[in-house]
Amino acid sequence: MIKTLKFLFLITTISALCWSCGGSSSENDSEEYTEEEAPEDEQSMEEKIKENPAAAMQEAMKEMTKAVEESGMSKVEPVDFRVLKDLLPDDVAGIDKTKSEGEKSGAMGIKMSKAEAKYEDGDKKIDITITDMGFMSAGGLGGFMSAGWLMAEVDRESDTEYEKTTTINGYKGFEKYQFDNKRGELSVMVAERFLVQIEGRNVSMDDLKDALDDIDLDDLEDLKDEGIE
């Protein structure tokens, strides 16, 4: 339990450092630890962040690498982004693809890969990203890092917008839409490893759902065991 909390604390610290280095003023709403459970180096790390964020980042990454090695969790080599690119359709919701790209990135043994595509037809625009969370998919860490809706239930609506967690084609998902400017987003987590994100402008939510239907999620799920050591 202590090792898990320390591991999550290190991830939170790295996330906070990224915000700090980027100049964000967002408040940190991370869970508080009890005195018994608190990581021993929490106070000293806070001091190091204030004194030298860059150096604190390097130290936090080293500590996380050590925590990864001690955790016993399987290492995951992410799927080649070229394979993910092949899953991006030539057109979605009747809109042709205008650009696609992909990349693999990593640090301290933690690797991820992603493929992106843009679809445009006049003022209608849809962007799709498929991300293989790689090692971060282990233990739900991918949700902890990049998709907070995976860790909670959301259902909110006003006169101008709505957002909610839902189930889409059997996968946990999230949808958000602004009625006034016709902007929306739709996301699903496939096989607890692949995050599919769709964002659109001047389109309806039905267009975004049609775009998701155009992606073969079964083929994506078939890749769930790729690269696991």
Side-chain angles (χ1 to χ4, degrees):
M1 179 65 177
I2 299 298
K3 285 185 178 180
T4 300
L5 288 170
K6 182 176 180 180
F7 187 74
L8 292 176
F9 167 70
L10 287 168
I11 295 175
T12 307
T13 298
I14 291 171
S15 299
L17 282 167
C18 290
W19 281 106
S20 175
C21 293
S24 171
S25 59
S26 298
E27 294 181 1
N28 189 340
D29 296 327
S30 59
E31 180 181 358
E32 295 182 358
Y33 297 101
T34 64
E35 181 177 352
E36 180 180 355
E37 296 173 332
E40 297 177 357
D41 56 349
E42 181 173 0
Q43 183 61 42
S44 60
M45 181 60 74
E46 288 179 352
E47 293 174 352
K48 291 172 184 176
I49 292 173
K50 293 178 181 179
E51 293 174 1
N52 191 331
M57 169 72 87
Q58 292 182 345
E59 181 171 344
M61 290 299 292
K62 290 179 181 178
E63 287 294 322
M64 193 168 82
T65 300
K66 181 179 179 181
V68 168
E69 294 174 350
E70 294 176 349
S71 70
M73 288 189 287
S74 300
K75 293 182 179 179
V76 180
E77 182 68 25
V79 172
D80 191 316
F81 69 82
R82 296 169 184 83
V83 175
L84 300 180
K85 277 183 63 179
D86 287 342
L87 294 174
L88 296 168
D90 291 331
D91 63 90
V92 294
I95 303 175
D96 290 334
K97 181 166 61 179
T98 58
K99 179 182 178 182
S100 64
E101 60 185 4
E103 66 175 0
K104 180 172 77 172
S105 59
M108 302 295 178
I110 298 174
K111 303 176 184 178
M112 292 184 285
S113 63
K114 68 177 181 179
E116 303 172 275
K118 295 183 179 297
Y119 302 80
E120 297 185 19
D121 181 11
D123 62 352
K124 291 185 176 182
K125 302 179 187 298
I126 292 179
D127 298 333
I128 300 179
T129 303
I130 301 177
T131 304
D132 180 359
M133 303 304 295
F135 168 78
M136 297 307 295
S137 62
L141 295 177
F144 181 85
M145 288 292 289
S146 65
W149 51 266
L150 282 167
M151 316 299 286
E153 294 294 329
V154 179
D155 189 2
R156 183 181 67 83
E157 184 171 347
S158 69
D159 293 336
T160 59
E161 65 179 4
Y162 80 88
E163 60 180 333
K164 65 179 181 179
T165 48
T166 184
T167 300
I168 304 173
N169 299 335
Y171 302 107
K172 178 98 182 255
F174 174 78
E175 56 184 86
K176 180 177 181 179
Y177 192 76
Q178 299 173 350
F179 302 113
D180 292 344
N181 55 16
K182 296 183 178 180
R183 297 176 67 97
E185 59 182 271
L186 183 66
S187 303
V188 294
M189 179 64 83
V190 177
E192 299 184 352
R193 172 171 175 173
F194 302 102
L195 181 62
V196 180
Q197 298 169 291
I198 304 175
E199 297 183 358
R201 298 170 293 288
N202 295 308
V203 295
S204 67
M205 178 53 71
D206 285 340
D207 289 330
L208 300 183
K209 291 182 178 180
D210 287 343
L212 182 62
D213 287 339
D214 288 331
I215 302 171
D216 196 326
L217 299 182
D218 289 338
D219 282 353
L220 186 59
E221 183 166 13
D222 287 342
L223 299 172
K224 65 183 180 181
D225 295 325
E226 290 292 320
I228 297 178
E229 295 183 8

